[in-house]
Amino acid sequence: MSVAEPRRIVLFRHAKADWPQVTDHERPLADRGRMDAAEAGRRLTDTGIAFDLALCSTAVRTRETWKLAVQEFPQRPKTVYEERVYEASPGELIALLNETPDDAQNVLMIGHNPGIQGLADVLAGSGEDDARERMTRRGFPAAAFAVLSFSGPWKSLEPGVATLRDYWAPAE
């Protein structure tokens, strides 16, 4: 794969979590979250993107979201459970993406707000169709995802270089 080919980053917020008496990192998905995670997996499959790599936070709710979503995929990408995604700022997430090997063209990141939404906002220098308007209007609710593309090596990923191609969020 050439670094001249557009790369895609999908930023996927974990599905709706429950609030039992556990630490934040150990919070599981709520019943609604389990349904929305599977639906998001179907919608991600509908994008036609063949993911090379999934970077998933180590939090229970993100791991459960990924487990349910990936069941809908025709092929499971390499998955890395990365503790640096948990509670990360947009800048920290960019630094993590800058470490991605250049043989990975399409990367899915499963994480948390406010970092995931902030990263989508920071990376998107432009947007297609009504994707930016929908993302601005809806925010980044649980199980939402944004599809962005950019050209160049992963180490060149920085604010404003990507185009927001698509956005999806479950119905409220």
Side-chain angles (χ1 to χ4, degrees), residues 32 39 43 134 138-145 167-172:
R32 164 81 186 269
E39 176 65 17
R43 298 295 181 128
R134 286 184 291 123
R138 296 282 316 272
F140 228 90
F145 65 81
Y167 167 83
W168 179 84
E172 295 296 324

Side-chain angles (χ1 to χ4, degrees), residues 71-93:
Q71 289 177 13
E72 304 295 330
F73 286 29
Q75 185 174 356
R76 182 184 179 98
K78 175 183 177 185
T79 301
V80 175
Y81 294 96
E82 176 56 68
E83 59 189 40
R84 292 180 291 170
V85 175
Y86 181 69
E87 295 187 337
S89 69
E92 291 166 329
L93 294 172

Side-chain angles (χ1 to χ4, degrees), residues 55-66:
L55 297 172
C56 184
S57 164
T58 57
V60 169
R61 60 193 178 273
T62 51
R63 289 183 289 138
E64 288 181 350
T65 297
W66 177 232

Side-chain angles (χ1 to χ4, degrees), residues 2 10 17 25 37 47 52-53 63 74 83 88 100 102 105 119 140 159:
S2 161
V10 175
H25 193 271
T47 68
D52 302 302
L53 176 65
R63 289 183 289 138
E83 59 189 40
T100 303
D102 279 330
Q105 182 177 3
L119 182 58
F140 228 90

Side-chain angles (χ1 to χ4, degrees), residues 87-144:
E87 295 187 337
S89 69
E92 291 166 329
L93 294 172
I94 289 172
L96 179 59
L97 287 165
N98 288 155
E99 297 173 11
T100 303
D102 279 330
D103 62 351
Q105 182 177 3
N106 301 313
V107 174
L108 175 65
M109 180 178 280
I110 308 98
H112 311 265
N113 262 3
I116 289 291
Q117 179 175 0
L119 182 58
D121 289 337
V122 165
L123 288 178
S126 61
E128 284 190 357
D129 301 318
D130 65 340
R132 185 180 288 282
E133 187 274 327
R134 286 184 291 123
M135 190 171 79
T136 300
R137 182 172 28 89
R138 296 282 316 272
F140 228 90

Side-chain angles (χ1 to χ4, degrees), residues 3 18 24 26 29 31 37 52 87 97-98 106 127 133 141 143 151 153 169:
V3 293
D18 204 354
D24 183 67
E26 300 305 311
L29 291 180
D31 290 342
D52 302 302
E87 295 187 337
L97 287 165
N98 288 155
N106 301 313
E133 187 274 327
S151 295

